[in-house]
Amino acid sequence: MRLSELKNKTLPEAAALLGADEKAVALERFMQIGLPNKKSEEYRYFQVEKLLDKAYRTLTYVPKPIEEAEKIVIVDGIVTHAPHGMRVYYEQCQAMDMTHFDPMYYLGHLLSPHVIKIDLDGDTDVEIEHHYTQSGALIAYRIVLINQANRHATLFESFHDEGVKDALVLYGYDTFVAPDSTLRILKNQKMEAEGYAMITSHRLQLEQRANAVIKSFDMGAGMGLQLIKADLDRYAHIDAGHLLYLNGEAQRGTVSKIIHKGEHSTSNQEAKNILDGTSRGIFDALIKVENSAKWTKAHQNSKAILLHERAYMAAKPQLEIYIDELEASHGSTTGQLDEKQLFYLRSRGISETEARKMLVIAFANTLIEQIKDSRQQEVIKTTFEEAFYAGEKDMA
Amino acid sequence: MSKVLEIKDIHAKIGEKEILKGLNLDLEPGKVHAIMGPNGAGKSTLSKTIVGHYDVEVTEGEILYKGKSILDMEPEERALEGIFLSFQHPVEIPGVNNAYFLRTALNAKRKHEGKEELNAAEFLREMKKYLEMLGMKADMISRSLNEGFSGGEKKRNEILQMLILEPDVIILDEIDSGLDIDALRAVSEGINLMKDGKRSFLVITHYSRILDYIKPDYIHVLKDGRIIKTAGPELVAQLEEHGYESIVEEA
């Protein structure tokens, strides 16, 4: 299947191609927005057409019995393992966001015959391993995450490609963060140049006084874009952090819309980007404060270090504000390693190459060290260093 | 050898402005040389020139360290050979752990000298004694390098590096600025610990206060990019009383 075949199709034609019900609301929304192209606002820095024009094998998603394990394992969109007692099951998506900005959110839903629902009961830490094993396949699946009021849950996601080539993964979660609860989602993803490409489209609904922490650590090469929409009710708070370390010809990054709907809601979004080779980093992030969201606090910042003259950072922090009673800031800087810091290290006998490595790792660590769990912190540090040293080797 | 560092007719500029205009200075092994001079005389440029700072372009002259020219050497090579600058304003580096930085620097030096590198445990044992002597809190080495350090803590950290790296030529650029009496005493103790009759010190200062703690052998007055007078420690009193203008008249 080529997704670009959906271009300029009528609703019945698209329904036939996707095997979807003509009356499906997701299809209606998808047709309204249309397939993304280089002129689409959200995909203007990401060569999405390159991915949509490729022919992929489609997969049939047959649920298997779930075996007991310490973590949730999802292989090509099918859950194979889950911890004992954890409620992980398939169901039709009950609550799709009908105002999502991303057409691939709806396409992902249309291509997924069901959603994987994960109930996060009580205070819990869960690990999800995503595995991709099918070269040349279109792998589409979605997760619905539900947590409980007054509880604190952490989800640690990692991605494993097992040498697949030319696959396209359409993935994402619909998350409902319950009142007075905290949900932390940490994503650790290292991709390879010729491996799978990925478009993740998330939706987060933060109820009153809910607290969400979304940290993504995207490293290596390849093509990947995460699109996030978050709606904040009264006193809700979101803390979003994105680390990019890219090399080769990578094109990766974040496109997000954080929408303050309730009074006293707060958001903090920070992106740290390190770009080597001819890679392109993307941070295209909007914070919207609606007129119902008085006394909002919203802060957004992107910092990028270019390690190569051909690396490119597309940083577009934006604020869209409809009230006067708020505190908001945004900013973006793109530059090279700090000459003073580099000199200081060298003046102590540390070679320039080693000093540069130390500064790059230090820049990344300011975000990595915000992770409270030291084990998860170490895992991400190791992934970063593997990607960094692999990139250095490629450049040498 | 009677001179460890020989600075010969150095002309150096920062940007388009010539700061050092034919400066001559010799450092003797085991001696403390103090450089005093008014603002803008070129004191900090002199220290930057010796360590190979990227701001400075040497247009004329020569610097010999142990008889060998260092002007074509990279800053890290000069450091490995034994030249150390304690910065006036040490830079903060968030994300670089202080202990990791110190160990990397020490192991680079040890490797250069053909010695075995120290592992983390051996290194921490080595450091403990210095931390106590300098009145540094144990958590200062587990924090990011100089990040959030007070002025005094930054200077103590500079001295800690000096003690660990054991350089042969030690340049102290305004080491006393921003220090209270206790910090000044701790820093001076660290410096005096390094005085072993072999190492040379170049103490760059505005004020004579630090020289009460680190007794100089020579006082050099730097003005308008040149050393205009060299004398014994008695010169400090004259400078205190009559200022730098009196020296100009004598020269």
Side-chain angles (χ1 to χ4, degrees):
Chain A
M1 178 186 199
R2 275 178 221 277
L3 292 173
S4 58
E5 286 169 13
L6 289 162
K7 207 172 355 181
N8 302 324
K9 287 281 185 284
T10 61
L11 196 134
E13 287 168 340
L17 263 173
L18 293 166
D21 181 350
E22 269 185 49
K23 288 175 188 159
V25 282
L27 183 64
E28 205 175 303
R29 261 305 272 165
F30 173 68
M31 295 303 285
Q32 243 174 30
I33 308 175
L35 201 66
N37 57 48
K38 62 185 171 195
K39 289 182 182 163
S40 307
E41 188 65 26
E42 295 78 21
Y43 287 87
R44 64 154 71 176
Y45 303 109
F46 183 74
Q47 287 175 299
V48 67
E49 284 172 321
K50 204 168 110 181
L51 301 178
L52 301 181
D53 282 340
K54 273 189 189 167
Y56 300 101
R57 276 187 305 120
T58 47
L59 302 178
T60 46
Y61 297 93
V62 183
K64 292 177 182 167
I66 298 172
E67 290 178 36
E68 198 179 306
E70 283 183 358
K71 55 187 89 168
I72 297 173
V73 180
I74 303 173
V75 181
D76 300 322
I78 300 293
V79 183
T80 60
H81 296 79
H84 177 72
M86 176 164 277
R87 287 191 293 162
V88 180
Y89 50 100
Y90 298 95
E91 66 167 35
Q92 295 303 309
C93 186
Q94 306 290 332
M96 206 178 297
D97 180 1
M98 295 318 293
T99 60
H100 205 294
F101 62 91
D102 178 21
M104 300 305 274
Y105 170 82
Y106 297 104
L107 188 57
H109 270 290
L110 286 163
L111 290 167
S112 311
H114 41 238
V115 293
I116 300 163
K117 194 164 179 189
I118 303 173
D119 286 344
L120 301 167
D121 293 335
D123 296 332
T124 182
D125 282 3
V126 186
E127 221 174 306
I128 300 184
E129 272 187 16
H130 301 264
H131 290 259
Y132 307 119
T133 66
Q134 303 286 326
S135 288
L138 176 62
I139 304 167
Y141 64 107
R142 294 201 58 87
I143 290 177
V144 171
L145 283 174
I146 308 277
N147 73 338
Q148 289 180 322
N150 294 304
R151 297 296 184 174
H152 306 288
T154 299
L155 198 72
F156 185 79
E157 286 191 294
S158 63
F159 297 80
H160 309 267
D161 67 13
E162 294 164 26
V164 298
K165 305 273 179 209
D166 294 320
L168 174 63
V169 179
L170 300 183
Y171 159 66
Y173 44 74
D174 288 85
T175 305
F176 302 89
V177 190
D180 300 292
S181 73
T182 298
L183 178 63
R184 299 164 71 235
I185 301 175
L186 309 174
K187 170 197 171 198
N188 182 25
Q189 187 172 29
K190 178 169 160 273
M191 288 168 74
E192 307 294 337
E194 302 298 325
Y196 65 96
M198 190 167 196
I199 298 174
T200 47
S201 201
H202 301 308
R203 176 255 181 131
L204 289 107
Q205 175 72 46
L206 277 71
E207 305 294 341
Q208 293 193 17
R209 297 173 301 281
N211 184 25
V213 179
I214 310 295
K215 304 276 176 181
S216 58
F217 300 89
D218 292 309
M219 298 168 251
M223 286 192 70
L225 193 65
Q226 62 172 354
L227 301 101
I228 302 169
K229 177 174 176 272
D231 295 297
L232 276 64
D233 204 338
R234 295 180 76 237
Y235 290 96
H237 173 75
I238 186 165
D239 181 8
H242 316 288
L243 174 73
L244 270 187
Y245 167 70
L246 304 185
N247 52 38
E249 295 173 356
Q251 270 185 40
R252 291 170 68 182
T254 300
V255 175
S256 67
K257 289 190 182 181
I258 294 174
I259 303 164
H260 290 260
K261 292 187 165 171
E263 291 173 354
H264 296 283
S265 53
T266 55
S267 65
N268 185 37
Q269 189 174 29
E270 185 182 14
K272 294 266 173 112
N273 314 285
I274 304 159
L275 308 175
D276 208 341
T278 56
S279 66
R280 176 185 296 184
I282 300 162
F283 178 68
D284 185 352
L286 170 76
I287 291 181
K288 185 178 176 187
V289 184
E290 296 190 343
N291 55 14
S292 53
K294 282 183 180 173
W295 305 296
T296 278
K297 284 183 186 174
H299 299 285
Q300 188 186 51
N301 192 279
S302 165
K303 285 183 182 163
I305 290 180
L306 306 182
L307 298 178
H308 194 280
E309 59 188 14
R310 292 179 65 197
Y312 177 79
M313 181 70 208
K316 200 177 153 200
Q318 305 149 79
L319 292 170
E320 190 180 320
I321 294 168
Y322 293 94
I323 50 159
D324 292 327
E325 302 87 344
L326 87 164
E327 181 186 306
S329 69
H330 68 159
S332 165
T333 58
T334 299
Q336 293 171 334
L337 290 174
D338 187 306
E339 225 172 0
K340 277 185 190 167
Q341 294 179 338
L342 198 57
F343 181 77
Y344 188 85
L345 298 177
R346 293 178 70 194
S347 78
R348 299 304 185 239
I350 298 168
S351 71
E352 184 176 0
T353 312
E354 189 59 34
R356 289 174 71 85
K357 282 179 193 168
M358 283 172 80
L359 292 181
V360 168
I361 292 170
F363 183 74
N365 277 352
T366 53
L367 210 57
I368 297 172
E369 286 174 359
Q370 287 175 16
I371 298 171
K372 286 177 188 160
D373 185 306
S374 59
R375 194 178 63 86
Q376 289 162 351
Q377 204 186 92
E378 274 313 306
V379 170
I380 290 169
K381 272 188 180 175
T382 305
T383 311
F384 175 80
E385 286 175 21
E386 278 171 11
F388 180 70
Y389 286 109
E392 286 279 298
K393 212 168 143 189
D394 290 346
M395 297 302 295
Chain B
M1 191 199 313
S2 61
K3 295 161 192 168
V4 65
L5 193 76
E6 299 166 71
I7 301 171
K8 297 179 174 181
D9 191 29
I10 277 288
H11 292 254
K13 59 181 189 178
I14 293 183
E16 286 308 304
K17 193 175 177 193
E18 187 174 46
I19 312 279
L20 301 183
K21 303 168 182 171
L23 185 143
N24 290 287
L25 178 68
D26 293 336
L27 299 194
E28 294 175 16
K31 302 291 182 190
V32 176
H33 296 254
I35 299 261
M36 300 185 76
N39 287 331
K43 299 190 295 296
S44 288
T45 304
L46 172 60
S47 64
K48 284 180 172 178
T49 306
I50 299 169
V51 296
H53 194 275
Y54 56 88
D55 266 354
V56 180
E57 186 191 343
V58 174
T59 54
E60 249 184 276
E62 185 59 280
I63 301 179
L64 303 177
Y65 171 69
K66 296 181 180 173
K68 204 164 69 176
S69 173
I70 58 166
L71 285 181
D72 290 333
M73 287 166 79
E74 297 293 340
E76 56 269 34
E77 292 176 285
R78 301 183 198 204
L80 291 173
E81 288 296 324
I83 299 174
F84 178 89
L85 167 66
S86 163
F87 287 84
Q88 185 179 354
H89 302 293
V91 69
E92 297 190 8
I93 312 188
V96 171
N97 175 276
N98 199 15
Y100 176 70
F101 155 71
L102 292 166
R103 187 158 70 91
T104 306
L106 175 60
N107 280 337
K109 179 100 191 294
R110 289 178 70 90
K111 198 175 166 189
H112 180 74
E113 291 168 351
K115 294 179 186 165
E116 214 168 291
E117 295 182 20
L118 295 186
N119 64 33
E122 290 166 335
F123 170 75
L124 286 171
R125 259 199 310 276
E126 186 75 7
M127 278 230 307
K128 211 178 162 199
K129 57 183 180 193
Y130 295 129
L131 287 174
E132 281 169 14
M133 191 193 77
L134 290 169
M136 290 172 76
K137 290 176 202 147
D139 77 328
M140 277 179 65
I141 58 159
S142 55
R143 283 160 61 186
S144 285
L145 177 53
N146 291 328
E147 192 189 24
F149 284 20
S150 68
E153 286 173 332
K154 282 181 182 168
K155 294 294 170 79
R156 286 175 208 237
N157 204 37
E158 292 291 287
I159 297 305
L160 177 66
Q161 292 167 42
M162 178 195 75
L163 291 167
I164 288 168
L165 295 174
E166 299 182 330
D168 293 331
V169 167
I170 295 161
I171 306 161
L172 304 165
D173 191 0
E174 308 269 358
I175 190 70
D176 50 343
S177 67
L179 295 188
D180 60 29
I181 295 293
D182 290 339
L184 186 62
R185 192 172 292 129
V187 162
S188 305
E189 270 176 31
I191 295 167
N192 286 327
L193 195 71
M194 294 295 278
K195 286 170 75 175
D196 62 351
K198 292 177 193 156
R199 291 193 176 89
S200 303
F201 291 81
L202 187 62
V203 184
I204 293 171
T205 183
H206 263 301
Y207 306 106
S208 59
R209 188 173 67 149
I210 185 76
L211 303 178
D212 292 338
Y213 295 90
I214 310 163
K215 298 291 178 199
D217 297 293
Y218 299 102
I219 306 289
H220 308 275
V221 179
L222 174 59
K223 196 172 176 201
D224 198 23
R226 288 183 304 119
I227 301 291
I228 59 167
K229 187 175 178 74
T230 294
E234 69 282 356
L235 185 61
V236 177
Q238 185 187 337
L239 289 170
E240 285 284 297
E241 200 171 335
H242 303 292
Y244 295 112
E245 288 305 316
S246 65
I247 305 298
V248 177
E249 284 160 19
E250 275 180 22

